[in-house]
Amino acid sequence: MTGQRTPTIDRGRATGRDLGQLLETGPFAEALRAAIRARGLGLERIRYRLRGRGTTVSLATLSHWQSGRCRPERPESLRALRNLEQILGVPDGSLRRLLGPPRPRGQFHQPGQPLP
């Protein structure tokens, strides 16, 4: 299929009002996706700008964050998110606030339950 363009999905542009609403209410992935769209930057350009600020984040990680497959939780990821907020021109802390508490990792022992 050389020479043919593949159809693209138009997910629409977030208006300032939509972005503001998402930054207030979340969820994180949708707010991040809207901020990226509103800024008009591709993930490769964002990655390049992050690297210029001394932060290394893979394209896969950025993609996973905006799709909701995972979210920044480790200290270095949270530092990257601070830089990302500046690059996207959203208020400081607006995306971080949407993360909520860290998700539990591994197996947890419930008090009163026998250990495995």
Side-chain angles (χ1 to χ4, degrees), residues 11-19 22 30 33-35 37-38:
R11 294 197 169 110
R13 280 229 177 262
T15 65
R17 189 174 58 86
D18 295 338
L19 177 57
L22 284 169
E30 287 183 36
R33 197 168 40 251
R37 261 195 319 258

Side-chain angles (χ1 to χ4, degrees), residues 10 27 35 62 81 98-99:
D10 180 18
L62 290 171
L81 186 56
L98 296 174
L99 293 174

Side-chain angles (χ1 to χ4, degrees), residues 10-65:
D10 180 18
R11 294 197 169 110
R13 280 229 177 262
T15 65
R17 189 174 58 86
D18 295 338
L19 177 57
Q21 177 80 25
L22 284 169
L23 290 173
E24 289 294 320
T25 61
F28 171 78
E30 287 183 36
L32 176 59
R33 197 168 40 251
I36 290 171
R37 261 195 319 258
R39 188 73 168 107
L41 295 173
L43 294 183
E44 182 62 49
R45 176 57 64 183
I46 290 170
R47 182 173 173 253
Y48 176 80
R49 289 186 181 189
L50 284 169
R51 194 172 41 229
R53 293 171 180 251
T55 304
T56 303
V57 178
S58 72
L59 287 176
T61 297
L62 290 171
S63 177
H64 290 331
W65 288 355

Side-chain angles (χ1 to χ4, degrees), residues 71-73 99-105:
R71 62 185 193 175
E73 291 181 334
L99 293 174
R103 292 183 285 181
R105 298 210 179 266

